[in-house]
């Protein structure tokens, strides 16, 4: 079924910038999201490097004053959370792959999809414009009362996040209806690929949680402008109520970040182990288990906020439950690899990196869920290390795995595998060098969001900064060979990984309508026979 | 999709039904407005919500077609309500269970001084058993593990705690009603506290257990005894009147905030820099800064003697602010003063005011010096 | 059946047939309404918390609301829901002029709602019953009363914005109806706007007793 990319495909279907900017093709929209997200990742990454440069304290000097430092970490957080990690896998990879994986010609609402992209970019513009004004220095969490009183341009950033949120909502809406209504004949629920299950659970969270963020940001803007007093004790309100509102979205948001990555891993591991996925049903159900528990635990971000002891007890207890469906997945992936025939191409390397880093991040989450420990670790670098392990070590690894896995499908070309291996090791080693010391720093008491620290923390801070340079180098290398691959990569087969899901049954790149003929599904996509270990990779 | 299902999902709402539902909605509106004018206490809210839900149900089922639509869409809609419920329920575990809630009163007030038994003054094995458990928690620190009056705290007490194995020395008498009285009122002049906050049944149980520690049976309670403790033996449970109590947090707050002769709580009219000073030519800027930032704790003449509540201390604690007259060190120079004001006093209630500029600090210093009589 | 020309609707290429497209659109609308439930829901949660904490204040403060005007608005909105439902069923039956008439009636009722709201609001501004920091009414001195009005303006304000948007959508439907875009075979936009409008009514059904009829 292989076709050369000289034939009609979605990339050459129509030409010119306008045809891209007005496209209704989910594949093109997915690519636009991908490039935008990569762009924002580098911007957010620069802020990260600035943070670590400051914390190196070269010769004991400060590179910037404390107020500027506050703005730098606020921007690092806000950009990475709202413009990179949340949209990345669903909007970029999901948009491209989901319709093809279910055998459809497009998502349910293509025009809405394009609108989502423009809404996303509009939100981004507001946030970036604020950067050139007085920025924001509240931290990406915008806690009251400081966020009410600071005279930075908080409202613009809030507005940007508000608008970007709608992009997330509409994407989720689109995906749910697509999965419900556009599955190809024969694609029953029990044959649905795990990436689709993951996106389904993610979309449910997006649709339920993001509107609460919207109203929270509106309330904060109203508090600043109209002094409504809901979060202001002087006027009878409660600043901790803001935290409830904020975290009711932001905790499920982290599962919006991780579930799609888990979906990617669930696709890659069986293919690169040449074995059926272990525990298909369990993995599918656990996605919904995680989605449900996601909404029950937000108070664990507020253990020291002055919240009632009863609430602390309830939330600590409920948080423990999230480890169960998560553990189900990790054990299933490991069970898949057991006695498999492992192939260590870049997608698999990133999947294994995910396993190591996400597991560490997840386990440290159990530390933090324990109330007695949390009281000491809150607002220290322990928390910073925890969430970077799960968000970067989890979602970003998943994103890189997915980009490499679906690279030949998206562009009809292969990336340079050797360069990919180099970048991978730089990133993974760099990541551990950057963030592992932060667990120690946090346990020793170094607070987060601090521009200065006690002298005894200097060595580990400097080690961490060196690690950040390794990560930076790794991503620069990755950007280089990936872009090089798009232009000059070796031509790829339709199915270089010898995988069974529907996207591999059409050409690389796919035609404009995804399939020449509507596919009919007759089997479960994870039937990998042990004898079938050929992975041709190259044309 | 077959023609039958097609017809079903393109259901046309008959006009008669639409008008009927509209009429029902208007009728329910009239009902809910009418009921709101009748005082039914707590029920007003529930009835209003019930009526609103019925109206909502009618709109969703008929006008929005959920009755005739695939179940999927109804499930989708109901799911949103479920998660909204999660939001409010879990948020309530915080907002309605904070410490200061008890100053207004606990959520469900229980009248714990009514006994639930018919004749609790008559000992039973169950009561004795319950009393034993309670004893081990409430009483052993003074009365000892075996009730011999040799608990760890006993050595410091005079008079010593009662030895329940002895038949002598029972202050109020060794009868069930009398022990109940002792538990309720304590023994003034001794370390025996009043345990009136324990539910009545618990106190009866303790009484019976304590009586069981000596082999000789206690005497029977007389009619006079019952009168003494305000119990009517003809009534079930004894009919003990409810003892009005306030919570410990409330009591401590009242005690701690009570002003004595020398101190007082901040009062906006009393603790206010005089108009003369605020508007005078000299020091007026310093006076205004002082009025804005300092007067609530330091007082209008800098004399202090104001009780300020410590934040974050549970349940409550108050600190009395000292007069400026006693603060020679920080008032020695403008530099020392500025440093104190800008940095505050770490670990104390005095906040740092890093937002005050040099000229602010200068004016403030002049004013404070004038208050301190320099 | 009307004897005017009905425009033929071509379903989008990625759907197998028009029916699938209709079902998908309907489901998409329901999911959108879920997001609206959660968004308004946030305000209801804030309301619930503060009412639970300060029930007497709510009772005192609500007496300054114009219950009669609120009741009138409730009647207006319910009737508009009825006319909207009738408009949808008329479109489904192919009765174009009837459908347009009901749409216009709905629009008029919606504007009545906003007019009544306008009078309510201006009255509040005049009396100084404003949100939070701007509150300057001298009669209502219950502590924290401004909080009630913050919630009042936020909830009815957000609702009012949705009414305004709804009016725009209804006007758009009138325009498309006039251009013969709808028929018994294709009436999806009218149905979906109908859902939106019924949802706006749903929110008011709860807002009215919670704000105007407190105890």
């Amino acid at each position: 079924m292989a076709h050369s990319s000289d034939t009609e495909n979605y990339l050459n279907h129509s030409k010119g910038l306008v045809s891209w900017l007005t496209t209704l093709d989910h594949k093109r929209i997915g690519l636009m999201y991908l490039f935008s997200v990569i762009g924002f990742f580098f911007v957010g990454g620069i802020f990260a490097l600035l943070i670590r440069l400051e914390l190196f304290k070269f010769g004991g000097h400060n590179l910037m004053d404390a107020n500027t430092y506050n703005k730098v970490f606020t921007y690092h957080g806000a950009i990475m959370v709202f413009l990179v990690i949340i949209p990345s896998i669903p909007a970029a990879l999901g948009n491209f792959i989901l319709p093809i994986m279910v055998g459809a010609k497009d998502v349910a609402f293509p025009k809405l999809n394009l609108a989502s992209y423009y809404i996303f970019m509009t939100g981004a513009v507001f946030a970036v414009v604020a950067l050139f004004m007085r920025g924001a220095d509240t931290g990406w969490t915008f806690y009251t009362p400081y966020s009410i009183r600071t005279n930075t341009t908080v409202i613009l950033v809030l507005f940007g996040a508000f608008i970007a949120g709608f992009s997330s909502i509409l994407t989720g809406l689109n995906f749910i209806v697509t999965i419900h209504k556009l599955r190809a004949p024969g694609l029953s629920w029990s044959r649905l690929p795990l990436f689709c299950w993951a996106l389904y659970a993610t979309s449910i969270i997006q649709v339920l949680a993001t509107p609460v963020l919207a109203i929270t940001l509106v309330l904060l803007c109203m508090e600043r402008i109209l002094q409504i007093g809901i979060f202001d004790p002087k006027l009878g309100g409660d600043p901790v109520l803001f935290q409830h509102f904020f975290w009711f979205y932001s905790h499920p948001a982290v599962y919006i970040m991780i579930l799609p990555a888990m979906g990617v891993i669930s696709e890659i591991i069986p293919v690169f182990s040449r074995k059926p996925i272990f525990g298909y049903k369990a993995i599918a159900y656990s996605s919904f288990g995680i989605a449900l528990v996601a909404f029950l635990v937000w108070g664990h971000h507020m253990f020291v906020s002055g919240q009632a002891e009863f609430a602390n007890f309830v939330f600590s207890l409920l948080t423990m439950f999230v480890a169960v469906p998560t553990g189900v997945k990790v054990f299933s992936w490991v069970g898949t690899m057991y006695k498999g025939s492992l192939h260590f191409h870049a997608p698999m390397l990133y999947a294994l990196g995910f396993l190591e880093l996400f597991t560490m991040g997840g386990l440290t989450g159990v530390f933090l869920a324990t109330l007695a420990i949390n009281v000491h670790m809150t607002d220290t670098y322990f928390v910073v290390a925890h969430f970077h392990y799960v968000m970067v070590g989890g979602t970003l690894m998943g994103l890189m795995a997915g980009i490499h896995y679906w690279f030949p499908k998206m562009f009809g070309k292969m990336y340079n595998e050797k360069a990919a291996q180099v970048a991978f090791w730089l990133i993974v080693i760099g990541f551990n060098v950057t963030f592992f010391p932060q667990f120690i720093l946090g346990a020793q008491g170094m607070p987060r969001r601090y521009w200065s620290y006690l002298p005894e923390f200097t060595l580990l801070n400097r080690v961490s900064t060196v690690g950040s340079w390794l990560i930076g180098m790794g991503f620069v290398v990755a950007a280089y060979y990936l872009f090089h691959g798009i232009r000059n990569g070796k031509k790829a087969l339709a199915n270089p990984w010898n995988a069974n899901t529907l996207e591999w049954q059409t050409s690389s790149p796919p035609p404009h309508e995804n399939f020449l003929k509507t596919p009919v599904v007759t089997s479960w996509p994870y039937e990998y026979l042990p004898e079938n270990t050929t992975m041709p990779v190259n044309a | 999709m077959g023609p039958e299902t097609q017809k079903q999902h393109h259901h046309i709402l008959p006009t008669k039904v639409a008008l009927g539902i509209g009429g029902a909605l208007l009728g329910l509106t009239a009902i809910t407005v009418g009921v709101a004018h009748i005082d039914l206490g707590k029920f007003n809210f529930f009835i209003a919500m019930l009526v609103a839900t019925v109206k909502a149900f009618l709109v969703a089922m008929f006008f929005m077609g959920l009755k005739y639509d695939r179940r999927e869409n109804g499930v989708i809609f109901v799911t949103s309500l479920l998660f909204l419920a999660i939001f409010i329920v879990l948020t309530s575990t915080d907002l309605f269970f904070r410490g200061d809630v008890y100053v207004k009163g606990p959520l469900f007030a229980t009248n714990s001084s009514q006994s639930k038994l018919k004749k609790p003054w008559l000992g039973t094995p169950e009561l004795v058993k319950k009393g034993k458990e309670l004893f081990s928690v409430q009483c052993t620190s003074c009365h000892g593990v075996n009730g011999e009056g040799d608990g760890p705290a006993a050595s410091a007490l005079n008079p010593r705690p009662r030895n329940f194995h002895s038949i002598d020395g029972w202050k109020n008498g060794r009868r069930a009603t009398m022990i109940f009285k002792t538990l309720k009122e304590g023994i003034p002049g001794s370390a025996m506290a009043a345990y009136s906050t324990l539910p009545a049944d618990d106190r009866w149980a303790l009484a019976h257990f304590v009586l069981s520690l000596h082999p000789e049976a206690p005497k029977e309670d007389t009619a006079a005894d019952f009168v003494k403790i305000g119990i009517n033996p003809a009534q079930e449970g004894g009919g003990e009147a409810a003892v009005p109590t306030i919570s410990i947090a409330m009591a401590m707050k009242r005690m701690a905030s009570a002003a004595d002769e020398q101190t007082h709580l901040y009062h906006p009219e009393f603790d206010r820099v005089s108009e003369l000073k605020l508007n005078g030519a000299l020091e007026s800027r310093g006076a205004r800064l002082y009025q804005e930032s300092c007067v609530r704790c330091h007082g209008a003449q800098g004399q202090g003697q104001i009780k300020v509540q410590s934040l974050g201390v549970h349940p409550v604690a108050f600190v009395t602010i000292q007069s400026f007259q006693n603060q020679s060190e920080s008032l020695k120079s403008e530099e020392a003063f500025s440093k104190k004001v800008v940095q505050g006093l770490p670990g104390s209630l005095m906040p740092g005011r890093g937002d005050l500029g040099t000229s602010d600090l200068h004016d403030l210093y002049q004013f404070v010096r004038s208050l301190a009589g320099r | 059946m009307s004897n005017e020309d009905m425009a033929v609707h071509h379903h989008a290429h990625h759907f197998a047939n028009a029916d699938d497209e209709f079902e998908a659109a309907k489901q998409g609308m329901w999911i959108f309404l879920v997001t609206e439930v959660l968004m308004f829901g946030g305000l209801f949660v804030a309301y619930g918390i503060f009412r639970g904490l300060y029930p007497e204040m709510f009772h005192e403060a609500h007496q300054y609301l114009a219950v009669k005007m609120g009741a009138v608005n409730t009647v207006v909105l319910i009737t508009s829901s009825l006319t909207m439902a009738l408009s949808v069923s008329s479109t489904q039956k192919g009765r174009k002029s009837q459908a347009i008439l009901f749409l216009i009636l709905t629009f008029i009722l919606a504007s009545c709602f906003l007019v009544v709201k306008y009078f309510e609001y201006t009255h509040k501004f005049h009396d100084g019953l404003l949100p939070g920091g701007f509150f300057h009414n001298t009669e209502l001195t219950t502590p924290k009363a401004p909080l009630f009005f913050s919630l009042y303006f936020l909830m009815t304000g957000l609702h009012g914005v949705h009414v305004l948007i709804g009016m725009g959508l209804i006007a758009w439907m009138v325009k498309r109806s006039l251009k013969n875009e709808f028929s018994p075979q294709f009436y999806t936009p009218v149905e979906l706007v109908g859902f939106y409008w019924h949802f706006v009514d749903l929110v008011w059904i709860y807002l009215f007793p919670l704000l105007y009829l407190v105890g």
Side-chain angles (χ1 to χ4, degrees), chain A residues 180-181 208 212 238 240-241 244-245 248 292 295-296 298 302 306-308 310-311 314-315 318, chain B residues 70 72-73 76 79-80 83-84 86-99 314:
Chain A
H180 278 179
K181 304 286 189 194
L208 287 171
V212 176
D238 186 350
V240 175
L241 191 62
H244 281 292
F245 271 71
F248 182 83
L292 175 62
F295 282 93
L296 303 177
W298 76 83
M302 298 163 58
Q307 169 171 259
F310 180 55
V314 167
F315 282 117
L318 289 171
Chain B
R70 340 163 60 100
E72 225 168 38
N73 291 331
I76 289 175
T79 306
S80 68
F83 282 87
L84 192 56
I86 291 176
F87 190 6
I88 191 161
V89 165
L90 287 179
T91 305
S92 303
T93 65
D94 171 22
L95 270 299
F96 294 122
F97 287 86
R98 299 261 182 90
H314 185 69

Side-chain angles (χ1 to χ4, degrees), chain A residues 199-435:
Chain A
L199 286 175
Y200 189 3
T202 307
S203 301
I204 293 178
I205 305 179
Q206 279 175 300
V207 156
L208 287 171
T210 320
V212 176
L213 177 74
I215 196 69
T216 307
L217 301 178
V218 165
L219 284 175
L220 189 55
C221 287
M222 291 294 112
E223 189 75 56
R224 277 179 76 92
I225 302 172
L226 292 180
Q227 300 171 41
I228 51 172
I230 292 198
F231 305 130
D232 192 342
K234 279 207 311 263
L235 298 166
D238 186 350
V240 175
L241 191 62
F242 173 82
Q243 295 188 29
H244 281 292
F245 271 71
F246 180 81
W247 287 111
F248 182 83
Y249 162 73
S250 301
H251 188 79
V254 312
Y255 296 102
I256 295 176
M257 297 177 201
I258 199 65
L259 277 174
M262 291 172 160
V264 172
I265 303 305
S266 296
E267 291 302 328
I268 289 177
I269 290 193
V271 171
F272 289 82
S273 311
R274 310 313 300 171
K275 252 192 86 193
I277 186 87
F278 180 92
Y280 168 83
K281 268 214 191 108
I283 297 181
Y285 282 132
S286 67
S287 302
F288 292 97
I290 291 177
L292 175 62
V293 178
F295 282 93
L296 303 177
V297 302
W298 76 83
H300 66 226
H301 298 269
M302 298 163 58
F303 283 150
V304 300
S305 62
Q307 169 171 259
E309 273 179 51
F310 180 55
N312 277 354
F313 154 68
V314 167
F315 282 117
S316 176
L317 177 64
L318 289 171
T319 305
M320 296 298 178
F321 287 114
V322 79
V324 175
T326 312
V328 162
K329 285 185 195 277
V330 173
F331 284 117
S332 295
W333 292 323
V334 172
T336 306
M337 293 192 298
Y338 178 63
K339 288 200 178 159
S341 170
L342 304 185
H343 293 70
F344 296 104
H345 300 89
M348 184 62 161
L349 286 180
Y350 280 107
L352 293 172
F354 173 99
L355 275 183
E356 182 238 324
L357 299 175
F358 174 74
T359 304
M360 282 180 66
L363 289 175
T364 51
V366 181
F367 280 57
L368 290 169
T370 311
L371 192 47
I373 298 181
N374 187 292
V375 168
H376 298 281
M377 301 296 199
T378 295
D379 283 338
T380 66
Y381 262 85
F382 193 90
V383 177
V384 175
H386 159 72
F387 63 68
H388 280 94
Y389 264 84
V390 285
M391 288 205 282
V392 179
T395 306
L396 213 56
M397 291 290 118
L399 177 66
M400 293 300 274
I403 288 177
H404 287 80
Y405 180 55
W406 283 305
F407 190 94
K409 181 55 54 185
M410 295 195 284
F411 303 110
K413 310 226 172 89
M414 271 313 272
Y415 57 86
N416 183 319
E417 185 63 51
K418 284 210 184 65
Q421 308 251 337
V422 169
F424 169 76
W425 288 110
L426 275 173
I427 291 172
V428 164
I429 292 177
F431 178 87
N432 279 299
V433 172
T434 310
F435 290 104

Side-chain angles (χ1 to χ4, degrees), chain C:
Chain C
M1 191 70 174
S2 154
N3 40 14
E4 293 153 58
D5 269 319
M6 294 287 188
V8 179
H9 170 74
H10 297 280
H11 65 83
H13 72 141
H14 56 287
F15 286 107
N17 53 57
D19 218 63
D20 279 1
E21 189 186 51
F22 172 67
E23 290 296 325
K26 220 174 5 157
Q27 189 165 93
M29 192 62 195
W30 276 109
I31 298 177
F32 171 71
L33 291 181
V34 161
T35 70
E36 290 276 47
V37 167
L38 267 303
M39 190 168 78
F40 270 100
L43 292 179
F44 280 96
V45 169
Y47 171 94
I49 295 290
F50 286 117
R51 178 163 171 180
L53 287 175
Y54 311 122
E56 301 86 22
M57 180 275 277
F58 268 68
H59 186 82
E60 288 291 317
H62 103 276
Q63 285 162 357
Y64 288 76
L65 291 185
V67 178
K68 284 206 186 67
M69 287 174 123
V72 164
N73 263 351
T74 309
V75 168
V76 164
L77 220 52
I78 286 178
T79 315
S80 73
S81 231
L82 174 63
T83 52
M84 187 73 225
L86 290 171
S87 158
V88 171
S89 51
S90 302
T91 314
Q92 284 174 304
K93 293 177 197 164
R95 303 208 185 113
K96 183 177 114 167
S97 15
Q98 207 177 57
I100 294 178
L101 171 68
F102 281 124
L103 278 173
I104 294 178
L105 273 177
T106 313
F107 186 95
I108 292 175
L109 287 165
S111 23
C112 285
F113 180 91
L114 289 181
V115 165
V116 172
K117 263 259 136 329
Y118 169 79
F119 283 117
E120 270 193 271
Y121 274 20
T122 46
H123 198 222
K124 300 262 167 334
F125 296 160
H126 181 259
D127 286 347
L129 296 162
L130 292 166
F134 293 95
F135 185 87
H136 60 271
N137 179 284
T138 43
E139 228 180 275
L140 177 60
T141 51
T142 323
K144 305 191 212 276
L147 216 50
F148 177 82
F149 290 98
S150 295
L151 284 168
Y152 168 78
F153 279 107
L154 279 170
M155 293 169 91
T156 57
L158 186 63
H159 180 260
V161 165
H162 280 78
V163 171
L164 201 56
I165 294 174
M167 287 170 68
L169 292 172
I170 293 169
W172 186 35
M173 291 300 107
V174 169
K175 175 166 174 247
R176 290 181 72 175
S177 270
L178 286 168
K179 289 204 299 185
N180 281 322
E181 283 185 41
F182 305 127
S183 69
Q185 287 73 41
F186 176 69
Y187 56 92
T188 313
V190 188
E191 171 99 87
L192 299 194
V193 169
F195 281 179
Y196 176 86
W197 191 252
H198 294 308
F199 180 77
V200 167
D201 187 25
L202 270 180
V203 173
W204 183 261
I205 282 174
Y206 280 97
L207 274 189
F208 175 60
L210 286 176
L211 289 171
Y212 292 83
L213 302 178
V214 176

Side-chain angles (χ1 to χ4, degrees), chain A residues 10-30:
Chain A
Y10 80 98
L11 287 170
N12 58 31
H13 174 80
S14 54
K15 298 245 165 87
L17 183 63
V18 175
S19 78
W20 278 82
L21 295 177
T22 55
T23 184
L24 295 178
D25 183 351
H26 67 97
K27 300 182 287 300
R28 288 189 170 195
I29 296 175

